[in-house]
Amino acid sequence: MKKMKGIVTIILNLKKIKMAIYAMYLTNKYGIKLKKTKTSKEKMDLRLNYSEELLSKLNIKVQIENKQKIPTQGQYLLISNHRSIIDPLIIEQTLKDSDIKGYWVAKKELYNSSFFGTFTRNAGTILLDRESNNMSSFFKKTKEVVKNNHSIFIFPEGTRNKENTPISSFKEGSRIIALKNRLDILPVYIKSNANDVLKEAIEKRTENLIIEIKIGDIISYKDKTSLEENYKKQFSLD
């Protein structure tokens, strides 16, 4: 019995390693392609292609509730809960039939990552250095992005939620971005625990996995209600 368990563990580990190698190869492949792009449209198209290719390899599809609430055009601060490393890919797939294209707010750790670095630096992102005492360069970049007719995408929790709760506390910075740039807010809720789905995709290679998304109503940037409170109310998370 112990020997059998050991064999199973080895097989599972090999599957994880194989998928990790493929994901690293694909991420860096697209990172190099992104580095060579000359237009924002090229970047956005490549990001979408990357998300489609990797999610297809994982046998994961995105299912959208209230799809009709996704604006076909315009500029927004898109906010979403954050449970897994594939959440940005899920959002890309959610918006693929819309003209809403945005720059992701990305942590400095991702810029310096050997896995994600090349991709993140070149994929249309706004660097957020949480250790910096001066955020003027960050907000200047958000202004430039919006001036160039792009939206901004952010995870208001600031990092992945690893607790057994739908969401963790929102950081105040998201609301400030919306106010400074007069961006109405597009709330998106990843209903499925994407991290659990990802684990199943890697360890069991299950076919036809689904991640459910729910789209909320647009929130005015002038709304003075707490963004976290608004989000919870929209998706009945209290």
Side-chain angles (χ1 to χ4, degrees):
M1 182 62 74
K2 287 183 178 180
K3 186 176 180 181
M4 182 59 69
K5 287 182 178 179
I7 292 171
V8 170
T9 300
I10 290 170
I11 292 172
L12 288 176
N13 286 337
L14 286 173
K15 285 182 178 179
K16 289 179 182 178
I17 292 168
K18 185 178 179 181
M19 181 54 73
I21 291 171
Y22 174 79
M24 179 175 279
Y25 156 75
L26 192 68
T27 303
N28 282 285
K29 171 187 169 182
Y30 273 92
I32 292 168
K33 284 185 176 183
L34 285 160
K35 193 173 183 179
K36 296 176 181 178
T37 57
K38 295 180 179 179
T39 68
S40 177
K41 185 179 185 307
E42 287 181 279
K43 288 186 186 296
M44 302 303 163
D45 288 346
L46 281 172
R47 275 187 359 194
L48 181 59
N49 292 343
Y50 168 75
S51 68
E52 288 176 340
E53 194 167 342
L54 188 51
L55 289 179
S56 176
K57 181 70 174 179
L58 291 165
N59 299 314
I60 294 174
K61 292 184 178 180
V62 177
Q63 185 172 294
I64 307 168
E65 182 179 343
N66 295 338
K67 188 174 182 179
Q68 74 280 2
K69 291 186 178 183
I70 300 175
T72 55
Q73 54 187 314
Q75 291 175 264
Y76 300 89
L77 177 71
L78 182 147
I79 62 171
S80 171
N81 57 321
H82 194 20
R83 297 297 291 269
S84 78
I85 60 172
I86 61 170
D87 290 347
L89 282 65
I90 295 166
I91 300 300
E92 295 288 335
Q93 286 297 298
T94 300
L95 297 176
K96 68 179 182 179
D97 295 325
S98 168
D99 286 335
I100 298 173
K101 308 300 178 187
Y103 273 55
W104 281 99
V105 173
K107 299 180 294 185
K108 183 175 69 172
E109 294 89 331
L110 290 175
Y111 268 59
N112 297 331
S113 166
S114 58
F115 193 111
F116 293 109
T118 303
F119 186 95
T120 304
R121 287 191 297 272
N122 297 288
T125 56
I126 304 170
L127 172 62
L128 174 61
D129 183 355
R130 293 180 296 186
E131 297 175 0
S132 175
N133 293 322
N134 187 350
M135 298 295 289
S136 59
S137 60
F138 171 79
F139 285 111
K140 181 181 178 182
K141 181 64 176 179
T142 65
K143 291 279 187 185
E144 290 174 4
V145 166
V146 173
K147 186 178 180 181
N148 288 322
N149 300 314
H150 293 295
S151 294
I152 297 175
F153 302 161
I154 191 170
F155 297 116
E157 293 160 291
T159 190
R160 276 182 285 155
N161 174 19
K162 298 178 182 178
E163 305 298 323
N164 189 28
T165 57
I167 62 170
S168 55
S169 298
F170 281 10
K171 303 293 188 290
E172 185 63 20
S174 299
R175 180 175 166 78
I176 296 172
I177 293 170
L179 283 169
K180 281 182 173 290
N181 294 283
R182 298 184 179 182
L183 287 174
D184 287 336
I185 299 157
L186 173 59
V188 176
Y189 178 51
I190 303 175
K191 292 175 66 177
S192 307
N193 187 326
N195 200 51
D196 288 347
V197 177
L198 178 60
K199 284 181 181 178
E200 184 168 348
I202 294 172
E203 295 176 2
K204 299 181 180 180
R205 299 301 296 144
T206 304
E207 298 287 333
N208 300 317
L209 291 167
I210 299 292
I211 289 179
E212 294 181 287
I213 300 289
K214 187 172 183 179
I215 310 300
D217 296 316
I218 301 297
I219 302 168
S220 171
Y221 71 88
K222 297 178 182 178
D223 192 325
K224 296 182 179 180
T225 309
S226 156
L227 192 55
E228 182 179 337
E229 183 182 337
N230 245 328
Y231 190 89
K232 285 182 175 179
K233 184 178 179 180
Q234 287 225 22
F235 300 113
S236 303
L237 300 179
D238 287 325

